[in-house]
Amino acid sequence: MNAIISASELASDLAGTTPPTLLDVRWQLSVAKAAGEPSFDGRAEYAAGHIPGAVYVDLDSELASAAGGRGRHPLPDLAVFGAAMRRAGVSAGAPVVVYDGGQGWAAARAWWLLRWTGHPDVRVLDGGLPTWEGALETSAPAPAEGDFTPVPGAAGLLDADGAAALARSGVLFDARAGERYRGEVEPIDRVGGHIPGAVSAPTNENVGTDGRFKPAEELAERFKSLGAGGGSDVGVYCGSGVSGAHEVLALAVAGIDAALYVGSWSEWSSDPSRPVAVGAEPQ
């Protein structure tokens, strides 16, 4: 099953006999600004207009638990996550489509969590809400309670030790911007740099100028050139396990299975005992 869906395909599915459950996960990374600008409010954006039938899901409170020693967006409490999914109408036997404001990171986080906890049919709207050409609605739907119960998978998740080992035994991609990987800048975390042995693979290079994923063949070639696709185990990390989920999604589009280090650099760099590499080379 393809991990992404186009806006035209979604419109057709919504008009069909078994329309998918729609989740709106609009979110942006909140970084304090000297100008005092208000932080992004995904719920307000949803209320101003969303794809008909979509239910809003909050990334910070329902797709992650509170920031702390395990990173800025650690795994959510599964009871909280499961309740949020059922409230949104998610059932194990019904398809789900997730979208966000176009960046794709938040939608990918929801996609990854649902897949990791056992949902068999989840796709992300390629390019997000900006690609939708149909009408929007402002009223919030009240779907019937879903029956989805999350059960974590045995594979697909890395902790710090697992990420360190995979960087040496397989391929560990760093999905952040190249300058953060190299340690030239670090706007959020304690220290700049990367996990020793990790390969720089910025998420933004997986999409075109329209925000849609590049063709599967092109993505497969990109990841192959970076060391994946040859039978080695593959993992991904980012700043806090959000943009990294988007890279896992890109790898899925390319036909490559990958695990996610959810704690990512925000967890790794908070521990002074963890080694840090800088520069353009994995080391």
Side-chain angles (χ1 to χ4, degrees):
M1 184 190 72
N2 199 346
I4 57 176
I5 184 172
S6 69
S8 60
E9 290 171 328
L10 175 58
S12 177
D13 286 359
L14 288 172
T17 56
T18 56
T21 301
L22 268 179
L23 306 181
D24 182 314
V25 198
R26 274 179 275 183
W27 171 90
Q28 288 182 11
L29 179 64
S30 179
V31 179
K33 298 181 180 179
E37 297 176 24
S39 59
F40 178 83
D41 188 340
R43 193 175 296 276
E45 294 288 325
Y46 168 83
H50 52 268
I51 298 176
V55 175
Y56 180 73
V57 175
D58 184 75
L59 185 146
D60 289 315
S61 64
E62 295 175 319
L63 303 183
S65 52
R70 294 183 298 129
R72 284 193 305 281
H73 292 102
L75 286 173
D77 179 282
L78 288 182
V80 172
F81 172 64
M85 294 299 100
R86 291 188 293 275
R87 171 187 61 81
V90 175
S91 290
V96 177
V97 172
V98 191
Y99 72 89
D100 58 23
Q103 188 179 42
W105 295 4
R109 171 74 175 222
W111 168 85
W112 181 84
L113 277 168
L114 281 165
R115 294 290 291 164
W116 178 65
T117 55
H119 200 289
D121 189 352
V122 189
R123 289 174 289 174
V124 169
L125 176 58
D126 192 16
L129 186 60
T131 68
W132 178 254
E133 297 181 351
L136 299 179
E137 69 177 10
T138 56
S139 59
E145 182 87 357
D147 65 14
F148 178 67
T149 299
V151 178
L157 177 67
L158 294 170
D159 60 11
D161 289 340
L166 184 58
R168 300 304 184 188
S169 66
V171 181
L172 180 66
F173 288 135
D174 184 318
R176 298 172 301 157
E179 58 268 25
R180 291 184 70 190
Y181 170 89
R182 296 188 295 270
E184 297 166 358
V185 299
E186 182 44 65
I188 307 172
D189 294 311
R190 184 183 68 85
V191 64
H194 59 269
I195 297 174
V199 176
S200 180
T203 294
N204 62 5
E205 295 181 18
N206 295 324
V207 298
T209 56
D210 60 358
R212 293 179 174 91
F213 280 106
K214 294 177 179 177
E217 297 79 8
E218 190 173 338
L219 288 172
E221 188 59 35
R222 181 196 183 211
F223 291 125
K224 180 180 179 181
S225 72
L226 294 172
S232 298
D233 290 336
V234 179
V236 180
Y237 75 95
C238 56
S240 65
V242 179
S243 68
H246 190 266
E247 184 121 299
V248 173
L249 176 58
L251 283 154
V253 172
I256 301 170
D257 291 330
L260 177 65
Y261 172 26
V262 174
S264 286
W265 190 248
S266 59
E267 178 186 41
W268 183 278
S269 64
S270 69
D271 183 351
S273 71
R274 295 281 179 189
V276 171
V278 295
E281 297 302 319
Q283 298 183 30

